[in-house]
Amino acid sequence: MNHFLDINKTDPADLRGMIDQARVMKDARKGLPKGTKDADQPLKDHIVALIFEKPSTRTRVSFDVGVRQMGGETLVLSGSEMQLGHGESIADTARVLSRYVDLIMIRTFEESALLELAEYADVPVINGLTNRSHPCQIMADILTYEEHNGPIAGKKVVWTGDGNNVCASFIHAAGQFGFDLTFTGPPNLDPEAVFIEEARAKGAKIEIERDAAKAVEGADLIVADTWVSMHDAQSTRERRHNQLRPYQVNDHLMAGAKDDALFMHCLPAHREEEVTNAVMDGPQSVIFDEAENRLHAQKAVMRWCLGV
């Protein structure tokens, strides 16, 4: 059973195979109208359940379009439409869905819900996001970096701001893909120590540098994310803005990195907060390539899960 639960739980050779296949599949679609199906139809006669307990734009559209391009069909479900974790146990939900569909993607809050779903499902489960990690996003980011600047192994990635779920998956990827990562942000928003130690044990250089200007020296890639969640109270928003203002990605910060350094953001972005418009829309930004590559990377993940 090939579940895709986290980057650090997936064999590095399999991860590399997914990135390479995503690149091949993307190249094969060049010049085709958006609605054209792939010449290869590996998901023909397959049904994929897409469960969203959290709102989504890129995850929902990219998975839905990806399944359709590969010849499959989707069943899109929201938390409000299901008994998941409410009237019915997650384990029972997993058993029932396994009788209907070939693959399950879930975007949820607690990691425990993802893990329980995978434990009891008889079909592969994909982590579309939890509060703790976001592996599909980082697969797209690796694909994007390598399209522009070649292999990511040995490069320096700088994460600025909040050591959140996306940051966690970047740290997982450092250990699996062989690049180094520097986190720069306030101490109370550090990434989980267990993730840092695991990546270091695999040979990645993981550092914490409070001074953002020092952190970006020699950087090949700078990554930011929103400072606040849509669920955060106003008091939390104000406190986070005060804490994170020194870590805004602007022209001055980008100038401290390598000349060919890229900027990424998983979107949606709060412009002029964690990143300025000048950087978002500037020549080093690859945010929209990154968004598109969610489609191609996730298609490769689904193929790996199903062995097709």
Side-chain angles (χ1 to χ4, degrees), residues 23 26-27 142-150 289 293:
R23 185 74 174 268
K26 180 178 182 178
D27 288 345
I142 301 292
L143 175 62
T144 305
Y145 182 86
E146 296 195 341
E147 280 182 331
H148 286 269
N149 283 3
D289 290 342
N293 282 339

Side-chain angles (χ1 to χ4, degrees), residues 5-290:
L5 304 181
D6 268 317
I7 287 175
N8 62 332
K9 297 176 182 176
T10 309
D11 185 88
D14 290 333
L15 294 169
R16 173 47 58 190
M18 288 181 238
I19 296 295
D20 292 345
Q21 183 169 63
R23 185 74 174 268
V24 169
M25 295 179 76
K26 180 178 182 178
D27 288 345
R29 290 195 59 82
K30 285 180 179 176
L32 295 177
K34 299 294 189 297
T36 304
K37 290 191 175 183
D38 294 349
D40 187 14
Q41 295 282 278
L43 262 63
K44 186 177 185 297
D45 299 325
H46 288 74
I47 299 175
V48 180
L50 307 176
I51 303 173
F52 294 94
E53 292 197 298
K54 275 191 171 186
S56 169
T57 299
R58 278 150 293 278
T59 299
R60 176 167 180 164
V61 174
S62 56
F63 266 107
D64 199 345
V65 171
V67 172
R68 296 183 192 204
Q69 286 182 352
M70 294 190 291
E73 297 184 23
T74 58
L75 179 64
V76 182
L77 302 165
S78 70
S80 61
E81 295 172 322
M82 301 179 66
Q83 295 294 327
L84 183 66
H86 302 293
E88 183 173 41
S89 72
I90 295 172
D92 286 351
T93 300
R95 293 183 180 106
V96 170
L97 285 178
S98 297
R99 302 293 182 100
Y100 299 142
V101 304
D102 302 288
L103 177 65
I104 301 169
M105 188 286 303
I106 184 168
R107 181 180 172 93
T108 188
F109 292 90
E110 298 303 321
E111 183 186 53
S112 58
L114 167 76
L115 298 179
E116 187 173 354
L117 191 71
E119 180 180 357
Y120 290 97
D122 293 325
V123 299
V125 173
I126 295 173
N127 176 1
L129 175 141
T130 70
N131 287 346
R132 204 169 184 221
S133 65
H134 195 1
C136 288
Q137 178 63 56
I138 274 54
M139 293 296 284
D141 293 352
I142 301 292
L143 175 62
T144 305
Y145 182 86
E146 296 195 341
E147 280 182 331
H148 286 269
N149 283 3
I152 197 166
K155 302 298 185 181
K156 178 181 177 180
V157 175
V158 175
W159 179 277
T160 176
D162 179 5
N164 62 12
N165 52 353
V166 187
C167 178
S169 287
F170 247 117
I171 294 171
H172 293 164
Q176 301 292 67
F177 285 93
F179 60 86
D180 299 328
L181 185 140
T182 298
F183 170 81
T184 185
N188 62 309
L189 296 178
D190 280 352
E192 289 188 46
V194 64
F195 295 152
I196 293 174
E197 294 309 314
E198 181 184 31
R200 285 173 175 167
K202 293 177 179 178
K205 182 181 179 182
I206 310 295
E207 295 185 332
I208 294 178
E209 171 56 66
R210 302 300 173 199
D211 186 326
K214 290 182 180 178
V216 301
E217 291 176 0
D220 298 284
L221 170 63
I222 297 176
V223 191
D225 199 358
T226 54
W227 289 347
V228 293
S229 160
M230 66 184 73
H231 307 288
D232 288 337
Q234 184 61 34
S235 59
T236 301
R237 290 171 178 264
E238 292 172 359
R239 184 172 65 253
R240 279 180 169 254
H241 282 167
N242 290 335
Q243 291 175 332
L244 290 165
R245 198 164 287 115
Y247 301 98
Q248 182 190 66
V249 182
N250 49 39
D251 282 338
H252 178 72
L253 195 68
M254 289 298 300
K258 289 183 178 178
D259 291 343
D260 64 347
L262 302 178
F263 171 75
M264 290 189 189
H265 190 302
C266 67
L267 302 179
H270 295 165
R271 287 171 175 259
E272 298 300 324
E273 291 185 11
E274 69 269 11
V275 57
T276 61
N277 285 326
V279 172
M280 284 275 287
D281 301 323
Q284 292 169 282
S285 173
V286 291
I287 57 173
F288 297 114
D289 290 342
E290 184 185 2

